[in-house]
Amino acid sequence: MLSDNPSAGILVIGDEILSGRTREGNAHYLAGVLAATGFDLREIRVIPDDHATIVAALQAMDRTLGGTWDHVFTSGGIGPTHDDITADAVAEAFGTVLEIHPDAREAMAARYASLGIELNDNRLRMARVPVGARLIVNSVSAAPGFSIGVTHVMAGVPNVFRAMVEAVLPTLQAGRPQVSETLEMRRGESDVAADLGEVAEAYSDLSLGSYPFHDEDGWGTNLVVRGVDAARVSAAMAELKSRLGVAG
Amino acid sequence: MLSDNPSAGILVIGDEILSGRTREGNAHYLAGVLAATGFDLREIRVIPDDHATIVAALQAMDRTLGGTWDHVFTSGGIGPTHDDITADAVAEAFGTVLEIHPDAREAMAARYASLGIELNDNRLRMARVPVGARLIVNSVSAAPGFSIGVTHVMAGVPNVFRAMVEAVLPTLQAGRPQVSETLEMRRGESDVAADLGEVAEAYSDLSLGSYPFHDEDGWGTNLVVRGVDAARVSAAMAELKSRLGVAG
C-alpha cells in the first residue's frame, strides 16, 4: 500500500517466544492500533534476550541510528531479573549509559510504599533509563518504559504493554488511519484471482488481499481492500463486487 | 542458551499480519516444533507482500545466500492471487527462475479432477517452483511448498502450513530436543531475581527465564529452565528450588 503515514517496526525481545513457550500477542495488538491510528507497520522482528542481537536490531530498525523505520516499538526485557537486558542494550545502541531516573524512582517508591513492599536493588534496576530518554508512564505497575531516538521501549507483560502503548502513542505524530472493507465469498481464491488482480492494478494506491479459510461449511475466501482514503476503498470494493456479480 | 543444534529463522510474509487483521499463529506453532525436534530458533521476521523486501530478507537469513541461519522457514504468499509473490521473490533471491514442476502439476491435476474443478491458469500458478527446488508435499490441498538452499517455502493457511512442516522436518538433520522445567511461584520477580541470576551464572549452558503473570489470585512468576541436557536442566532446577526454599 502507498501512504505518507510514518513507518513503524516492532521489535519483540524474548527467548520465551522463540522457544514456543509463549504465543506472542503484543505485536498483534499493536499492529491493529497502529493501523487504526495512522502508522504504517512494515516489520515485526522477534529476537532472543541477547545483548549484541538487540543492539544490531535497533541499528537496523531505528531511523536515527541509520535504520529503516520512523518509529520502533519494543516489547520485553525491562523487568528486574538477569535476563532483562533490553535497557542496557538500548543504551549501548544509542551510545549512552543507564542512570536511575528520579521520576521513575519516585513513581516506583510511591507504588511500593502503598503495597508495603521494599524498593530493593532488583526493583530499582527497573528505574534505570538511558541518559536523555523520556519516560513512558506505566499506569499498571509503576516501573516505566522510555523513548529514545525513535525507539519506544515497553514491557512484555501484556496489560503493562497496552498501558504503555496508550501512554506513548498520543505523543507521536500520526498520519491517516487505515480503513478496510471485507467481502466474504464461498468461492475458491483461484476463481476470483483474475478479477481481484485487475482491480488491484487499477487501484495501486490500495492494498487488496485475498485470504482463504476453511470452516464447517467448507472453503471460502475473504477479499480485503485497505487504504487510507475511505472513498477509494469503497470504490475499489464496489468495482470488485460488480465484477464478481455480488449485490452491492 | 548454548547448543550445537542447527539454527533456524522463520520468515512470515503477509500484509494481513502487519495490518493487525490476522493474528499470526504459524510461527508460534513452528517454534514449539523446532524446540522439541532439535533446532535452535533465533529469529522470527514478519514482512509485507513486497518483492524487494522478501528478497532482502532471504539474503539476510539463508546461510547459503550469505545470511545467518542454517534453516529458514517461510509462511505465506504461495497462493493463486496477484499478492502471492513469494515464489517469484525466492527465485530471484536464488538467482533462478520459476517453472511449472511436473510433479506439482500432476498432484494438483489429480486433486482437482477428483473435485470436478478445472485446473485453470490461476491454479496452475501454484505449480510454479524455482528451478532446482525440491517439493514439499501438501497433503491437505495438493499445491506444494518447496525447499531451495536452506529455505523451506510453505503456505500461510494454518492447516496447510502444519501439513508442510510435518512433511519437511523429517528430511532435515536435527540436533538435540530442548527440554524445560517450570516452577510457578506466588512471589514477585524482584524477590527471586538475585537467586535466579546466580543459578543462571552457574549454569551458563542453559537458558533461565522468569515470566511474571497476573491472574485472579494476583501476581506470580514462572521460572523456566531450558536446555538440551535434561540432567543439567534438572540440576539447575533443584539448585533453584533449594535456594528459594521450595520443596523438591
Side-chain angles (χ1 to χ4, degrees), chain B:
Chain B
M1 190 180 54
L2 303 173
S3 86
D4 297 331
N5 283 355
S7 64
I10 297 175
L11 182 62
V12 177
I13 300 159
D15 289 353
E16 73 278 18
I17 313 295
L18 296 170
S19 72
R21 181 181 177 280
T22 301
R23 183 174 177 185
E24 216 290 313
N26 289 342
H28 173 57
Y29 160 75
L30 181 53
V33 170
L34 290 173
T37 311
F39 295 90
D40 191 8
L41 178 61
R42 301 290 291 169
E43 179 183 17
I44 301 167
R45 212 184 273 207
V46 185
I47 61 173
D49 301 308
D50 178 78
H51 185 90
T53 306
I54 300 170
V55 173
L58 290 169
Q59 289 168 340
M61 296 175 77
D62 182 299
R63 180 175 48 74
T64 67
L65 297 177
T68 314
W69 310 126
D70 295 330
H71 289 286
V72 179
F73 299 89
T74 82
S75 164
I78 61 169
T81 59
H82 70 283
D83 55 336
D84 289 307
I85 61 174
T86 297
D88 300 82
V90 172
E92 177 170 330
F94 285 91
T96 184
V97 294
L98 297 177
E99 62 177 1
I100 302 274
H101 194 295
D103 295 351
R105 181 209 285 261
E106 189 179 333
M108 292 172 64
R111 176 179 159 81
Y112 289 127
S114 76
L115 295 171
I117 296 175
E118 178 202 2
L119 183 54
N120 64 17
D121 283 352
N122 285 308
R123 292 199 169 86
L124 211 48
R125 267 177 63 88
M126 294 189 282
R128 297 181 315 145
V129 166
V131 172
R134 305 169 302 286
L135 295 188
I136 300 175
V137 170
N138 169 358
S139 60
V140 174
S141 52
F146 56 85
S147 296
I148 184 169
V150 291
T151 293
H152 313 287
V153 176
M154 299 182 285
V157 179
N159 59 336
V160 181
F161 180 82
R162 288 180 183 224
M164 290 182 175
V165 167
E166 285 167 16
V168 76
L169 266 195
T171 71
L172 309 178
Q173 180 73 44
R176 289 198 286 172
Q178 286 182 33
V179 294
S180 69
E181 293 189 21
T182 300
L183 174 64
E184 181 182 316
M185 303 206 72
R186 287 286 159 185
R187 293 170 66 180
E189 268 197 296
S190 303
D191 286 330
V192 300
D195 288 313
L196 184 68
E198 284 168 25
V199 177
E201 201 166 323
Y203 290 82
S204 59
D205 54 323
L206 305 179
S207 163
L208 275 74
S210 75
Y211 307 108
F213 62 87
H214 191 268
D215 62 17
E216 62 270 23
D217 297 323
W219 286 90
T221 304
N222 279 312
L223 303 180
V224 178
V225 180
R226 178 178 297 276
V228 294
D229 182 333
R232 289 282 291 167
V233 169
S234 290
M237 181 55 87
E239 168 81 19
L240 202 52
K241 285 179 172 172
S242 162
R243 281 168 173 267
L244 294 171
V246 177

Side-chain angles (χ1 to χ4, degrees), chain A residues 52-110:
Chain A
T53 305
I54 300 170
V55 173
L58 290 168
Q59 289 168 339
M61 296 177 77
D62 182 299
R63 181 175 49 74
T64 66
L65 296 177
T68 314
W69 311 126
D70 295 330
H71 290 285
V72 179
F73 300 89
T74 82
S75 164
I78 60 170
T81 58
H82 71 283
D83 56 336
D84 290 306
I85 60 174
T86 297
D88 301 81
V90 172
E92 177 170 330
F94 285 91
T96 182
V97 294
L98 297 175
E99 62 177 2
I100 301 274
H101 193 295
D103 295 350
R105 181 210 284 262
E106 191 178 331
M108 292 172 64

Side-chain angles (χ1 to χ4, degrees), chain A residues 39 71 134-136 147 152 165-174:
Chain A
F39 296 89
H71 290 285
R134 305 169 302 287
L135 295 188
I136 300 175
S147 297
H152 313 287
V165 167
E166 286 168 15
V168 76
L169 266 194
T171 71
L172 309 179
Q173 181 73 44

